[in-house]
Amino acid sequence: MFMPMKDVLTAAVRLAGKVHTTPVVRSRQLDELTGARLFLKCENLQRIGAFKIRGATNAVLALDLESAGRGVLTHSSGNHGQALALAARERGIPCTVVMPRNSAAVKKAAVEGYGARVVESAPGSAAREALTAQLAAETGATVIHPYDHRDVIAGQGTAALELLAAHPEIEILIAPIGGGGLLAGSALAAEAVFNGANASSASTHPVLVYGAEPETADDAAQSLAAGRIVTRNDNATIADGLRTAAVGHLVFPILQRRVEAILTVSEAEIVRAMRFVWERLKLVIEPSSAVAVAAVLRHRELFQGRAVGVILTGGNVDLDRLPWL
Amino acid sequence: MFMPMKDVLTAAVRLAGKVHTTPVVRSRQLDELTGARLFLKCENLQRIGAFKIRGATNAVLALDLESAGRGVLTHSSGNHGQALALAARERGIPCTVVMPRNSAAVKKAAVEGYGARVVESAPGSAAREALTAQLAAETGATVIHPYDHRDVIAGQGTAALELLAAHPEIEILIAPIGGGGLLAGSALAAEAVFNGANASSASTHPVLVYGAEPETADDAAQSLAAGRIVTRNDNATIADGLRTAAVGHLVFPILQRRVEAILTVSEAEIVRAMRFVWERLKLVIEPSSAVAVAAVLRHRELFQGRAVGVILTGGNVDLDRLPWL
């Protein structure tokens, strides 16, 4: 019961004109440092400052009229909540986001700024999920999970699809993994391009796909090693987008089938890579994005001499609290 | 004795493949805030992190073989020194940069990192210029002035040329002004596009050109008002690229003929615009770049409802010392 790769192509058609086709940046300095040829897909320059708008918009647009009328619902304290709120507003349907009571006020304000309703839950994922299920039952709204949702995975994959279509010389793709929606979608995109599901952009070589994860939140790496989903509740990392305790059930088989390995990096390596990208590439990226860059630097033997696509996932950071200051 | 606009087209041909065709970024948030449609030309993503590589490379490539063999020489403590060093290295010719003894060590190291020789002068522009002239006489090297040089002006103009060619709907162009090489080059580019010197990209409407300058370093605005070059030795602003005491003699007549006005902004407005671009657009820009964005925000009556091209000039900042912290 695998997700078909064609979903990513359908998503790309749906998203045309709704999200930015983000630029791809190259850097001779980073190429010299890594020994590879890097193609950096700037999802930090995406709407809402992160790739999450792709999956959320795809999921909202995929709803039939009747379901859409009842609105959408999710639990998220991060970018997915904002993304879903914006996607719902653009389709003109209601959106509710369940957020823990202790979420930062600025995050609640951002979601409300896009016209969504915020409902506060007790802290902890159990309370949050129970409240989400209860609201879904009461309102008939469709729950759009942040990553373990077919249309979300497919939507996230469109970033890699754009990157591979623009630079068919890419041999390896790397993306960070939290819940796994982006990495699974990227793997499906790589498969779609190689198999020529879209004949005009069919590639002549398979694209290897790697994930990148903080050492201190390595549940995905552990899961691939164990052959089952490992939950790690002590995930602690500066890469706040990657603290998810476990990858999704829809996501996991895609990773098993299509991902070469999950590469891990230390917290110091994340901060160093983040600063390098700010300082030399002039791009504001969040720590989660830096995880993928750090992985290419640390595991250079895998990438040397190759054309490597890197997804810079987002740029939502608090400019008053930078990790090197 | 005006500089011909065709120089910019020649420069564009010369620079093809030598410098990045930088991306143009749009932002709905910034459009809402300004009431205009902004097209931001990301020269912060250019090689060496600033547009200066365009003028320096054009000047170096314009040298005949014999002159080139004697090398190039400039005085600059900023981006132009690095740009000339890199351009010279790529042509394989010697480069000397005169820098005041009290320049930051990191700036000297950057110039030397590109293989150029740094010669220290006593502080003050008189000492620096005297030493530069002496070295030129001794070595026969060609002096490449940071802005008051025909090939430098033409090279800087290629950023605007790319922007206007990619987005022919642009009606107004705005760029910051220090010595004026970029603004003069941009004005020539706007003229070239309108006059159809390059027939395939000829525009059907004239493009208005504005400069942007800090209030506390407004020698260019004063010069246009006075009808002669005004020198302001007390120029003090956070926008370190725009502290030049006076615009160039080659530059000034181009500004008089082609620039609508120089718009000024306060230091607080510069910092606010800079932070906005980092936070919302995820682009690391230096304060000089923010001056142009701040001018569109402050003088919104000039830009409302119009398609406006903005040159984001560079992104070279010290990440350990941010102006809002």
Side-chain angles (χ1 to χ4, degrees):
Chain A
M1 284 304 299
F2 287 135
M3 243 190 83
M5 62 192 183
K6 282 195 86 167
D7 281 15
V8 183
L9 304 171
T10 307
V13 173
R14 240 184 232 136
L15 295 182
K18 302 280 199 296
V19 303
H20 295 318
T21 300
T22 50
V24 177
V25 162
R26 305 213 48 195
S27 160
R28 297 187 200 209
Q29 289 181 86
L30 202 51
D31 284 0
E32 277 168 26
L33 206 61
T34 58
R37 283 168 293 134
L38 300 191
F39 298 81
L40 303 152
K41 179 68 172 167
C42 293
E43 288 296 299
N44 59 326
L45 306 181
Q46 187 51 271
R47 300 185 69 193
I48 76 143
F51 71 92
K52 295 270 184 182
I53 190 68
R54 295 178 181 268
T57 302
N58 189 47
V60 164
L61 292 178
L63 293 174
D64 62 53
L65 261 182
E66 198 194 321
S67 309
R70 290 191 300 266
V72 288
L73 173 65
T74 198
H75 56 82
S76 163
S77 49
N79 292 330
H80 175 68
Q82 288 182 50
L84 192 67
L86 176 56
R89 183 177 79 180
E90 297 206 335
R91 188 162 178 190
I93 65 173
C95 176
T96 304
V97 180
V98 176
M99 297 178 85
R101 198 171 298 137
N102 54 0
S103 298
V106 61
K107 293 193 169 177
K108 288 181 200 165
V111 168
E112 288 171 342
Y114 288 121
R117 178 170 70 120
V118 170
V119 176
E120 296 189 341
S121 71
S125 60
R128 202 170 56 180
E129 281 165 30
L131 182 55
T132 304
Q134 182 197 324
L135 289 170
E138 283 172 17
T139 64
T142 304
V143 177
I144 310 291
H145 192 278
Y147 49 88
D148 212 23
H149 185 292
R150 178 172 165 165
D151 297 315
V152 171
I153 293 170
Q156 318 300 32
T158 59
L161 195 67
E162 284 174 14
L163 177 56
L164 294 171
H167 299 281
E169 65 268 46
I170 289 174
E171 303 161 271
I172 307 180
L173 206 54
I174 184 164
I177 177 160
L182 176 69
L183 186 58
S186 300
L188 293 174
E191 190 180 346
V193 168
F194 178 57
N195 288 350
N198 176 357
S200 69
S201 68
S203 170
T204 54
H205 60 85
V207 174
L208 302 183
V209 179
Y210 286 90
E213 197 174 36
E215 279 170 3
T216 52
D218 69 344
D219 60 279
Q222 289 190 34
S223 299
L224 277 191
R228 61 175 177 81
I229 298 176
V230 172
T231 299
R232 185 177 163 164
N233 287 311
D234 64 341
N235 276 345
T237 168
I238 186 179
D240 52 342
L242 309 182
R243 287 181 193 145
T244 319
V247 301
H249 290 89
L250 259 178
V251 161
F252 188 59
I254 302 175
L255 303 187
Q256 284 188 299
R257 194 163 44 103
R258 282 282 150 199
V259 169
E260 301 298 314
I262 311 274
L263 308 174
T264 60
V265 293
S266 72
E267 295 296 290
E269 287 168 329
I270 297 168
V271 174
R272 208 149 56 225
M274 179 175 167
R275 181 166 177 152
F276 187 94
V277 170
W278 285 48
E279 198 156 72
R280 310 296 180 88
L281 280 69
K282 318 301 179 189
L283 293 170
V284 172
I285 60 167
E286 56 197 32
S288 304
S289 303
V291 170
V293 178
V296 176
L297 284 163
R298 166 143 169 198
H299 304 269
R300 49 182 298 146
E301 69 285 358
L302 295 171
F303 303 99
Q304 258 176 321
R306 315 292 290 272
V308 182
V310 181
I311 315 273
L312 297 180
T313 49
N316 292 326
V317 290
D318 180 351
L319 290 180
D320 287 321
R321 301 189 338 156
L322 297 179
W324 53 79
L325 291 179
Chain B
M1 285 303 301
F2 287 135
M3 242 191 83
M5 63 191 181
K6 281 194 89 168
D7 281 14
V8 183
L9 304 172
T10 307
V13 173
R14 241 185 232 134
L15 295 182
K18 301 279 199 299
V19 303
H20 295 318
T21 300
T22 50
V24 177
V25 162
R26 306 212 48 195
S27 160
R28 298 188 199 208
Q29 288 181 85
L30 202 51
D31 283 1
E32 276 169 27
L33 206 61
T34 58
R37 282 168 294 134
L38 300 191
F39 298 80
L40 303 152
K41 178 69 170 167
C42 293
E43 289 297 298
N44 59 327
L45 306 182
Q46 186 52 269
R47 299 184 70 193
I48 75 139
F51 71 93
K52 294 269 183 182
I53 190 67
R54 295 177 180 269
T57 302
N58 189 46
V60 164
L61 292 178
L63 293 174
D64 62 51
L65 260 182
E66 197 195 320
S67 310
R70 291 192 300 267
V72 289
L73 174 64
T74 198
H75 56 81
S76 163
S77 49
N79 292 330
H80 175 68
Q82 289 183 47
L84 192 66
L86 177 56
R89 185 178 76 180
E90 297 206 334
R91 190 162 174 189
I93 65 174
C95 176
T96 304
V97 180
V98 176
M99 296 178 85
R101 200 169 298 137
N102 55 0
S103 298
V106 61
K107 292 193 171 179
K108 289 180 200 165
V111 168
E112 289 172 340
Y114 289 122
R117 179 170 69 121
V118 170
V119 176
E120 296 190 342
S121 72
S125 59
R128 201 171 54 179
E129 281 165 28
L131 181 55
T132 303
Q134 183 197 323
L135 288 170
E138 284 172 17
T139 63
T142 304
V143 177
I144 310 291
H145 192 279
Y147 49 88
D148 213 23
H149 184 293
R150 180 171 163 166
D151 297 314
V152 171
I153 293 170
Q156 319 300 32
T158 59
L161 196 66
E162 284 174 15
L163 177 56
L164 294 171
H167 298 281
E169 66 267 47
I170 290 175
E171 303 162 273
I172 307 180
L173 206 53
I174 183 164
I177 178 161
L182 176 70
L183 186 59
S186 300
L188 293 175
E191 191 179 345
V193 168
F194 178 57
N195 288 350
N198 176 356
S200 69
S201 68
S203 170
T204 54
H205 60 86
V207 174
L208 302 183
V209 179
Y210 286 90
E213 198 174 36
E215 277 170 5
T216 51
D218 70 343
D219 60 279
Q222 289 189 34
S223 299
L224 278 190
R228 61 175 178 81
I229 297 176
V230 172
T231 298
R232 184 176 164 166
N233 288 311
D234 64 340
N235 275 345
T237 168
I238 186 179
D240 52 343
L242 310 182
R243 289 179 193 146
T244 319
V247 301
H249 291 88
L250 259 178
V251 162
F252 188 60
I254 302 174
L255 303 186
Q256 284 187 300
R257 194 164 42 104
R258 283 281 149 202
V259 168
E260 301 297 315
I262 310 274
L263 310 174
T264 60
V265 294
S266 72
E267 296 295 291
E269 287 168 330
I270 296 169
V271 174
R272 205 149 57 225
M274 180 175 167
R275 181 167 178 150
F276 187 93
V277 171
W278 285 48
E279 196 157 73
R280 310 296 179 89
L281 280 70
K282 318 299 179 189
L283 293 169
V284 172
I285 60 167
E286 56 198 33
S288 303
S289 303
V291 170
V293 177
V296 176
L297 284 164
R298 166 142 168 199
H299 304 270
R300 50 181 299 146
E301 69 286 357
L302 295 171
F303 302 99
Q304 257 176 321
R306 315 293 290 273
V308 181
V310 181
I311 315 273
L312 298 180
T313 49
N316 292 326
V317 290
D318 180 351
L319 290 180
D320 286 321
R321 303 190 334 160
L322 298 179
W324 53 80
L325 291 178

